[in-house]
Amino acid sequence: MERLLHAKAHGVRVIGSSTLALCHLASGAADAYYQFGLHCWDLAAATVIIREAGGIVIDTSGGPLDLMACRVVAASTREMAMLIAQALQTINYGRDDEK
């Protein structure tokens, strides 16, 4: 989080709801979002909505999104998503398909 706070940003919001935060991104009210520990049911519909709105959804490693990996970076542009992914240290919460 500290590395991301040094990036040029207007502000950082933590609203307490991953679904609402992802919908804010899709609507253009936010530029980016990342989270560890989300489950596939938290991400599946939001991923479709964000992609249909023109956003990007990737894994925190910078690779393609793996819905079962319980981690996500979503952003309005690929450049912003990669900037965030590169600043993160990936945390492994396990996989939804291994529980």
Side-chain angles (χ1 to χ4, degrees):
M1 178 64 84
E2 186 176 334
R3 282 183 252 163
L4 292 173
L5 290 174
H6 291 298
K8 293 180 181 179
H10 177 68
V12 175
R13 266 185 239 167
V14 179
I15 59 177
S17 167
S18 60
T19 303
L20 185 55
L22 290 164
C23 287
H24 276 170
L25 179 84
S27 73
D31 293 319
Y33 177 80
Y34 78 92
Q35 182 70 44
F36 296 97
L38 292 181
H39 296 284
C40 57
W41 53 85
D42 298 318
L43 293 172
T47 297
V48 172
I49 293 167
I50 291 166
R51 288 179 176 164
E52 288 293 318
I56 183 83
V57 184
I58 62 173
D59 186 80
T60 56
S61 67
L65 178 67
D66 177 355
L67 283 175
M68 298 298 160
C70 301
R71 56 189 189 229
V72 66
V73 173
S76 54
T77 67
R78 177 167 295 283
E79 294 79 16
M80 186 173 295
M82 293 306 292
L83 176 80
I84 292 168
Q86 291 168 357
L88 295 175
Q89 181 179 354
T90 297
I91 300 169
N92 185 3
Y93 277 89
R95 297 179 54 81
D96 279 340
D97 55 358
E98 294 177 350
K99 296 177 183 179

